Amino acid sequence: MEVSKSVHVMSKPTGSVCNLDCDYCFYLEKDKLYPDRNSNWKMSDATLEVYIKQHIEAQYTQHVTFAWQGGEPLMMGIEFFQKALLLQQVYANGKSIENTLQTNGLLLNDEWCKLFKEHHFLIGISVDGPEHLHDKYRTNRSGKGSYQKVKQAIQLLQTHQVEFNTLTVVGRHNVDHGLEVYQHLKSLGSHYHQYIPLVERSATKPTVQGIYLVSPEHEIQAQVTEWSVDSLKFGQFLSEIFEYWVKHDVGSVFVPYFENTLAGWSNEKGSMCTLAPRCGSAFALESNGDVYNCDHYVYPEFKLGNIHSKSIGEMNFSQQNYQFGIKKKDINSKCSNCKYLKLCNGGCPKQRFIPRIGESAHNYLCEGYEYFFSHSEVKMKQMRDLWVSGKSPIEIMHI
């Protein structure tokens, strides 16, 4: 069976519960899948222990990564993560353990930073650019922007020398400000920029569970949300940043879209699941132990099971995970005839909802991807050729 032996799990100990109320957040309405979440939203100690034991056992390498996300994982409190670290050592069985954690930064303080530094956490901070762009959607329940607290959190991480990167949602609010966003992230001290295109469809009628933001699998009339990014503009956003990066920052600032594209031209495997040849083995774990095929597919039909009754390893080698993975290869004729197919592999299936008569649906971001791949092609191939000839791609900055 063609599945990854090891498995990545994005664990959400608070589920969808968060201390921000971002208008564009696709995960907030997942609370409708768990009606008791208002009073019972924290991952229990029992579930935490089962998860840690199973996740380590499910890895076929000597290195294990725990990825903590949300919601807002810091709402669990520092004692929760102290327990997690102890349990990781109990069940490590000789394997090395690392932890990554994605946060909005609002709850960060010296105590958190000391824990992260001592145990070598890699922290992801969500920031959408300078204050006037970030605060457009990233607000609390009273509508107040969060930028200043995020900036303070980054300064705290730097003071304690905690390694961090930035995650930036690219939507209608900031897509026209590519270079401004990029340079602002650099000014904050970020050397690793994750840019996540915001693409969501809202149905005219909700699912049985009350979900409006639907997956492509739902045969429901839906339209792209007002905050979603325009496809072509996303390609222009990446291209604008690339032009600056390729002249000034190769080797000092890392952008997964650029690294992945260079890997594709070099016939190497990239790191981004959205552009990989297949899906699968990248699960989302809810606070009660429910596991879903993917963070973007937390819908009842994509539930793989619960870790209290089925192990993560069993779910990884299940027929459902296998079918979910290979379905990505089901592309239409426009994709199969595209010169850039090896760079995007049809893109994320969540974004394949543009209908084509008699064929599989097309990816909403195709126009943007094609624009960026075309725009960057010459310089990407120059960097590839430098690497093949035994030189560093950094030398592109001197060409």
Side-chain angles (χ1 to χ4, degrees):
M1 187 180 293
E2 185 191 359
V3 296
S4 171
K5 282 189 174 181
S6 292
V7 55
H8 177 78
V9 178
M10 184 181 289
S11 52
K12 297 173 177 286
T14 69
S16 59
V17 174
C18 187
N19 52 354
L20 284 182
D21 193 25
C22 306
D23 289 342
Y24 63 49
C25 181
F26 72 94
Y27 217 80
L28 282 178
E29 70 169 6
K30 301 302 183 184
D31 61 357
K32 294 181 174 63
L33 298 176
Y34 298 93
D36 64 340
R37 178 154 285 170
N38 286 337
S39 59
N40 185 26
W41 53 271
K42 288 188 174 183
M43 180 178 284
S44 69
D45 289 350
T47 299
L48 173 65
E49 182 166 4
V50 171
Y51 163 55
I52 286 176
K53 181 177 184 292
Q54 288 188 12
H55 184 54
I56 293 172
E57 289 175 346
Q59 309 310 315
Y60 282 73
T61 66
Q62 288 302 111
H63 183 77
V64 183
T65 298
F66 283 85
W68 307 97
Q69 203 164 87
E72 174 48 50
L74 298 193
M75 291 178 68
M76 291 298 298
I78 200 165
E79 295 82 5
F80 174 85
F81 288 96
Q82 290 169 335
K83 290 175 187 173
L85 289 164
L86 288 172
L87 289 167
Q88 287 171 359
Q89 294 310 308
V90 169
Y91 293 108
N93 195 27
K95 296 181 179 180
S96 64
I97 308 288
E98 82 166 340
N99 289 274
T100 67
L101 186 144
Q102 185 68 37
T103 176
N104 59 38
L106 271 63
L107 297 176
L108 274 179
N109 56 26
D110 289 320
E111 188 180 13
W112 277 112
C113 290
K114 288 175 183 175
L115 180 79
F116 295 153
K117 177 63 177 176
E118 180 183 356
H119 295 280
H120 311 290
F121 274 64
L122 171 61
I123 304 300
I125 291 280
S126 299
V127 54
D128 286 357
E131 188 167 12
H132 71 102
L133 298 175
H134 176 93
D135 283 351
K136 171 68 176 175
Y137 291 122
R138 298 192 65 80
T139 60
N140 60 25
R141 285 175 176 77
S142 62
K144 186 177 180 180
S146 60
Y147 175 82
Q148 287 300 327
K149 289 189 175 182
V150 173
K151 186 176 180 181
Q152 291 168 12
I154 290 174
Q155 290 168 345
L156 259 179
L157 291 170
Q158 291 170 319
T159 298
H160 289 271
Q161 298 181 315
V162 177
E163 187 177 355
F164 76 96
N165 58 41
T166 49
L167 185 153
T168 300
V169 174
V170 183
R172 189 164 295 183
H173 62 305
N174 58 1
V175 71
D176 293 323
H177 304 270
L179 191 55
E180 181 184 6
V181 170
Y182 175 82
Q183 291 182 327
H184 187 75
L185 296 178
K186 276 186 63 181
S187 75
L188 292 174
S190 175
H191 298 284
Y192 188 95
H193 301 188
Q194 294 185 69
Y195 295 109
I196 310 297
L198 177 55
V199 181
E200 293 292 342
R201 292 192 308 155
S202 182
T204 54
K205 294 181 180 180
T207 66
V208 174
Q209 293 79 22
I211 301 293
Y212 277 90
L213 299 180
V214 296
S215 81
E217 308 295 321
H218 285 281
E219 298 297 330
I220 298 174
Q221 187 176 358
Q223 61 183 10
V224 175
T225 60
E226 63 175 324
W227 50 78
S228 291
V229 70
D230 176 82
S231 177
L232 177 59
K233 284 189 174 183
F234 181 63
Q236 293 168 339
F237 174 94
L238 291 176
S239 299
E240 181 182 7
I241 292 172
F242 176 79
E243 280 304 314
Y244 183 90
W245 175 84
V246 80
K247 294 173 185 174
H248 303 281
D249 292 330
V250 181
S252 60
V253 176
F254 299 90
V255 180
Y257 269 106
F258 303 165
E259 310 294 327
N260 218 90
T261 303
L262 179 58
W265 283 121
S266 306
N267 295 317
E268 298 288 339
K269 183 179 180 181
S271 62
M272 294 177 65
C273 67
T274 53
L275 305 183
R278 67 180 307 282
C279 293
S281 301
F283 301 155
L285 172 73
E286 274 287 334
S287 59
N288 71 337
D290 285 347
V291 177
Y292 293 85
N293 276 115
C294 170
D295 180 43
H296 288 275
Y297 279 81
V298 179
Y299 302 96
E301 60 268 38
F302 296 101
K303 180 179 169 181
L304 286 159
N306 186 287
I307 60 174
H308 290 287
S309 55
K310 184 187 292 186
S311 74
I312 292 172
E314 287 179 286
M315 295 183 213
N316 188 35
F317 289 101
S318 68
Q319 188 66 23
Q320 180 179 332
N321 184 42
Y322 172 71
Q323 292 298 332
F324 181 81
I326 64 170
K327 192 171 184 180
K328 187 173 186 179
K329 296 179 181 291
D330 183 15
I331 57 175
N332 56 52
S333 58
K334 183 175 182 179
C335 275
S336 60
N337 293 319
C338 178
K339 66 180 289 189
Y340 301 120
L341 176 61
K342 72 175 183 178
L343 304 182
C344 77
N345 292 289
C348 177
K350 175 74 182 288
Q351 295 151 356
R352 294 181 186 175
F353 53 78
I354 306 300
R356 286 179 65 85
I357 298 175
E359 291 190 297
S360 300
H362 203 60
N363 196 298
Y364 171 85
L365 288 174
C366 174
E367 186 180 14
Y369 283 151
E370 188 171 14
Y371 182 93
F372 168 65
F373 294 145
S374 174
H375 182 91
S376 62
E377 181 173 354
V378 171
K379 291 169 185 172
M380 284 289 183
K381 287 181 174 178
Q382 286 177 326
M383 285 191 286
R384 175 200 64 190
D385 293 344
L386 284 167
W387 180 71
V388 169
S389 65
K391 299 177 181 178
S392 171
I394 292 174
E395 292 189 27
I396 186 71
M397 293 188 289
H398 305 299
I399 297 177

